[in-house]
Amino acid sequence: MIMLKRIGTLLKTLFCVGIATAYPNFKDILPNGNEVPHPCKANYLWHGVGHNNPLGGGSRNQFGLDFKTAGLSWTPELCRKDSDGDGRTNGEELGDPECVWKTGSFPSRLSDITHPGVCTLSDGSICDADKGWVDCQVEDGLKNCDVLKEPETLNTTIRFPETAVPAEETTYSCMIFNLPSDQDYHLMAYEPNIDNEMVMHHIIIYGCDPNEDPVPDEQLNTVTKCGMSADGPMGFRIGQGGFKQAALEFHWNNPQLKSNWKDSSGVTLYYTPKLRANDAGIMSTCQMNHEIPPGQQSYTVVGKCHSECSRKLIQAPINIFWAKNHMHYLGHEMNIKVYRDGVYYTELTNEVIYNYDSPVEKTYSTAVQVLPGDEIVTTCKFKSLSRPKTTFFGDATSDEMCFGFLAFYPAANMPFSTCTAWKDISICNLWIQKEHNDCKWVDFMFRNVNETKRVRDEVMANCNPFGNCLSECKATLQILFAEHPCMKGDVYELIKDQSLKLDNKEMQAFIVAVDSCKAEMAADVYLQNLTNDNTSGADRLGGISLLLVSLIMYMMIK
């Protein structure tokens, strides 16, 4: 299979953005205040719903004036008012048509939200009275890009042929194409060409590993379904000594499941034969496992590029010259920090108010040097007040992510430029060493020989996967939990996760067999601790009953 390396992250638009100034607490005291869409920019949110500026701050629109008159609170009077004069009450537009919503609860409607401060007609167009102040244009992010002014700079545009967008909420489609390869070039800038903004979530370009056989011509420029820059003394090398082929990946977001949409978006690449002193690379950091509970004011997720892992991946000092945070719509704050020898060293990003629609690209006048053994910590904070259910890590816009992208040079000093984590398991232990805390988890899942076979055979012989917890199963598991490294903590949870994702039926049966007794064994430990403490009483017994019920319910859910 072709190995792909990320050489650039291209979002649906390019921005040169100032600081967002919307007041998050005001959004929280309005029904669906965090979900108000921009009336004429598809897939954008209007964060400062009471202001003329979508980012908040400055002059107020009519809804903002009415909100201020109402004492900066959601009142029945404000709810029944039609601030923008489009024939719908503020409550109808914000999903509270009965005007009964209270802070901390969920509105009666979570979809089809419209802006209460911008007059829109039934066909979705903006009323003439508001056209003068509502900006529907996307800013050109390349207007200040000096490299485009150099006479040597060339460009090439790659587009999907007109392709039907599936009637699915989330679709990833890919197309492999040739890059200029008559000589060496540096890729210096990029510009997206969006055909259907109603479905385009983002575009990513991956470079195909030049050390592998190229994709045959007959497979190029064909769209298939698939899974999930800077000017300076560096560039991304393409051509004879670099990437010769690349894959264009589209993420289409179609939550309304429209069946008649098509798209032929693409990207223009700007490259130059005037090579810079260094080849550049993109490093990604991430926490790849999180479960964000519903109704949370703030929920924190942390991903670590552990020092022992960075010591393996970073072969010599690298210089970070550009950084970008990436979460989805629940993300409200994010930072990336570097620790050296266990002590805080520097900060790479710090967005106190994160705005998915207006991504901030951090550039450094002096590159930040990161050494082998440095720990890079990515912290994401999510606000889930608008979600009635748990939100998981995933590709869809309705899922969440916690990614950091760091551009660095020289690329040769970090050939494998991904340093992510699954819970507290580093990418090195996950996919390079494939071992964590003495558990060779890949062997445990896929090699049915020796020690692995013994453990599986013992569990399957003594446990009843879909029945009651057997005493012989308890006895077997007590020994395995105490002695076997693959039966403990995060690595056991990883094995469970991968068994489901990879549809490993044999391991799934093993997991169900183990879990048939886990809840009861936990209750046994709790009861034994009570006995050892020589405690008694009705309150304690009530606690035991509650624990047993809770554990049983937990295992049923899992």
Side-chain angles (χ1 to χ4, degrees):
M1 183 177 69
I2 283 286
M3 294 294 292
L4 301 176
K5 297 183 178 180
R6 187 186 306 265
I7 62 173
T9 302
L10 312 179
L11 299 184
K12 55 181 177 286
T13 53
L14 295 173
F15 276 91
C16 296
V17 183
I19 298 174
T21 55
Y23 292 95
N25 56 312
F26 287 164
K27 294 193 294 182
D28 296 343
I29 59 177
L30 294 172
N32 290 303
N34 292 283
E35 305 293 330
V36 179
H38 195 294
C40 58
K41 290 183 181 180
N43 296 318
Y44 282 73
L45 293 181
W46 196 294
H47 296 275
V49 63
H51 294 270
N52 291 334
N53 182 349
L55 298 180
S59 60
R60 292 183 173 89
N61 55 42
Q62 188 57 51
F63 175 77
L65 295 173
D66 293 339
F67 180 56
K68 183 179 180 182
T69 301
L72 301 178
S73 61
W74 183 249
T75 65
E77 293 75 22
L78 177 63
C79 177
R80 289 191 286 267
K81 203 176 209 26
D82 178 12
S83 294
D84 55 17
D86 60 7
R88 287 163 292 176
T89 68
N90 296 332
E92 289 172 334
E93 299 215 57
L94 291 176
D96 182 26
E98 304 300 325
C99 299
V100 295
W101 179 81
K102 302 294 182 185
T103 302
S105 63
F106 291 105
S108 59
R109 191 179 76 247
L110 299 174
S111 59
D112 299 322
I113 306 304
T114 54
H115 198 309
V118 178
C119 177
T120 51
L121 302 175
S122 58
D123 63 359
S125 62
I126 296 175
C127 303
D128 290 341
D130 287 349
K131 285 182 178 178
W133 65 271
V134 177
D135 182 11
C136 295
Q137 298 300 312
V138 175
E139 185 175 344
D140 180 5
L142 291 181
K143 64 182 180 181
N144 295 318
C145 186
D146 291 338
V147 72
L148 269 61
K149 302 172 185 177
E150 296 179 1
E152 300 90 351
T153 298
L154 305 169
N155 70 80
T156 183
T157 298
I158 303 97
R159 303 187 78 108
F160 269 29
E162 189 172 70
T163 304
V165 177
E168 302 171 3
E169 179 181 358
T170 297
T171 302
Y172 282 81
S173 292
C174 296
M175 183 182 79
I176 298 176
F177 59 93
N178 284 326
L179 291 166
S181 58
D182 57 313
Q183 65 177 83
D184 278 355
Y185 299 97
H186 269 157
L187 177 63
M188 301 302 297
Y190 52 80
E191 184 176 21
N193 303 302
I194 306 304
D195 172 51
N196 186 347
E197 62 180 14
M198 300 302 296
V199 297
M200 180 53 66
H201 180 274
H202 69 247
I203 301 172
I204 295 179
I205 292 183
Y206 295 92
C208 301
D209 191 339
N211 296 316
E212 295 198 3
D213 293 335
V215 174
D217 289 344
E218 61 270 18
Q219 296 180 23
L220 297 175
N221 305 311
T222 301
V223 177
T224 58
K225 212 168 182 179
C226 54
M228 190 186 150
S229 102
D231 184 20
M234 72 299 292
F236 299 94
R237 185 178 293 266
I238 62 175
Q240 291 183 349
F243 296 110
K244 298 179 180 65
Q245 293 183 326
L248 194 64
E249 177 193 274
F250 283 10
H251 174 182
W252 284 318
N253 186 45
N254 184 7
Q256 296 176 323
L257 308 182
K258 297 277 189 179
S259 59
N260 58 342
W261 272 339
K262 296 182 179 180
D263 186 34
S264 61
S265 295
V267 63
T268 298
L269 304 178
Y270 296 90
Y271 59 99
T272 177
K274 192 170 81 173
L275 301 181
R276 273 48 177 175
N278 294 283
D279 291 342
I282 294 283
M283 173 185 180
S284 60
T285 65
C286 174
Q287 173 52 257
M288 300 180 66
N289 178 278
H290 46 263
E291 302 175 1
I292 304 168
Q296 297 294 303
Q297 177 67 32
S298 186
Y299 182 83
T300 301
V301 168
V302 177
K304 293 184 178 181
C305 173
H306 292 282
S307 59
E308 60 270 22
C309 189
S310 83
R311 188 172 288 109
K312 294 183 177 72
L313 298 179
I314 303 175
Q315 300 175 359
I318 60 174
N319 303 286
I320 295 174
F321 62 91
W322 174 95
K324 186 175 187 177
N325 295 327
H326 181 69
M327 300 181 285
H328 289 170
Y329 279 120
L330 296 189
H332 74 91
E333 183 177 346
M334 182 172 174
N335 63 69
I336 304 173
K337 298 180 179 180
V338 179
Y339 293 81
R340 184 165 294 166
D341 298 325
V343 178
Y344 171 76
Y345 172 64
T346 192
E347 186 175 76
L348 297 176
T349 69
N350 185 11
E351 287 186 73
V352 177
I353 300 178
Y354 173 85
N355 186 341
Y356 172 75
D357 287 328
S358 298
V360 175
E361 299 186 2
K362 174 77 172 180
T363 57
Y364 310 95
S365 55
T366 302
V368 178
Q369 190 174 78
V370 173
L371 304 180
D374 284 353
E375 182 172 78
I376 303 173
V377 180
T378 303
T379 302
C380 297
K381 295 186 178 181
F382 301 94
K383 182 181 295 184
S384 59
L385 296 174
S386 61
R387 297 287 176 90
K389 295 183 178 180
T390 299
T391 302
F392 298 92
F393 175 90
D395 297 331
T397 311
S398 55
D399 297 325
E400 269 304 335
M401 288 185 174
C402 178
F403 269 105
F405 297 109
L406 310 171
F408 68 92
Y409 67 91
N413 288 0
M414 191 180 184
F416 186 88
S417 55
T418 299
C419 197
T420 59
W422 192 94
K423 291 194 173 183
D424 202 41
I425 302 175
S426 71
I427 187 73
C428 294
N429 293 351
L430 195 64
W431 294 116
I432 299 177
Q433 297 172 206
K434 300 177 182 178
E435 180 177 341
H436 180 72
N437 290 345
D438 297 325
C439 169
K440 296 181 179 179
W441 71 274
V442 174
D443 288 350
F444 189 82
M445 285 187 63
F446 297 106
R447 295 188 63 195
N448 197 19
V449 295
N450 301 332
E451 180 65 10
T452 302
K453 185 176 188 304
R454 179 189 69 81
V455 172
R456 287 189 190 176
D457 289 349
E458 285 186 16
V459 169
M460 300 309 293
N462 292 288
C463 299
N464 186 0
F466 296 101
N468 296 326
C469 175
L470 307 176
S471 58
E472 56 267 37
C473 182
K474 280 188 186 182
T476 299
L477 293 178
Q478 283 173 346
I479 296 173
L480 291 177
F481 288 157
E483 297 179 354
H484 203 286
C486 292
M487 301 293 289
K488 301 175 182 179
D490 286 350
V491 71
Y492 176 71
E493 295 301 317
L494 172 67
I495 290 170
K496 289 176 64 173
D497 178 82
Q498 293 299 308
S499 297
L500 291 173
K501 289 181 177 177
L502 301 176
D503 199 26
N504 186 327
K505 301 296 186 187
E506 186 176 6
M507 281 305 302
Q508 289 174 11
F510 171 81
I511 294 296
V512 172
V514 171
D515 286 354
S516 69
C517 274
K518 283 190 73 176
E520 192 168 319
M521 292 175 69
D524 289 345
V525 172
Y526 183 79
L527 290 170
Q528 184 61 50
N529 290 338
L530 292 182
T531 302
N532 293 341
D533 292 340
N534 293 317
T535 57
S536 61
D539 289 343
R540 183 69 75 175
L541 291 174
I544 296 170
S545 301
L546 180 61
L547 174 73
L548 288 171
V549 172
S550 299
L551 286 169
I552 293 170
M553 290 300 295
Y554 172 79
M555 294 309 301
M556 290 175 65
I557 294 171
K558 296 293 277 188

